[in-house]
Amino acid sequence: MDPLLAKAIVVAASAVGAGLAVIAGIGPGIGQGFAAGKAVEAVSRQPEAQGLVIRTLLVGCGVAETTGIYGLFIALALLFFNPLVNLL
């Protein structure tokens, strides 16, 4: 196989992989919106539990956000620091 073609295939596959990794940010966004809506409902039902509900919401959103951050890191690594291109 031509080395230039192999390099082009690796770069193209890396771009597709980066796009799929960025799509991983959609899930946490939807989940955080759903969790925030449920937290508002919980606080409206029991205003005295507001502190506990908000604390739990923030911890849950922080954990969910790491998925999006990992996806972003993988996408940037595939686009700019791809070690597979140098192996060809």
Side-chain angles (χ1 to χ4, degrees):
M1 177 182 272
D2 183 29
L4 188 60
L5 177 63
K7 195 172 207 174
I9 290 173
V10 168
V11 170
S14 296
V16 171
L20 291 174
V22 170
I23 290 175
I26 292 174
I30 292 171
Q32 288 175 2
F34 185 74
K38 292 296 183 178
V40 169
E41 288 177 16
V43 169
S44 69
R45 274 188 255 118
Q46 291 184 334
E48 66 276 359
Q50 178 181 4
L52 181 62
V53 170
I54 297 299
R55 187 178 332 132
T56 306
L57 169 71
L58 290 177
V59 169
C61 285
V63 170
E65 188 65 30
T66 59
T67 305
I69 292 171
Y70 289 148
L72 175 66
F73 176 73
I74 295 299
L76 290 174
L78 284 173
L79 290 177
F80 299 111
F81 310 111
N82 194 345
L84 297 176
V85 174
N86 297 330
L87 293 177
L88 297 176

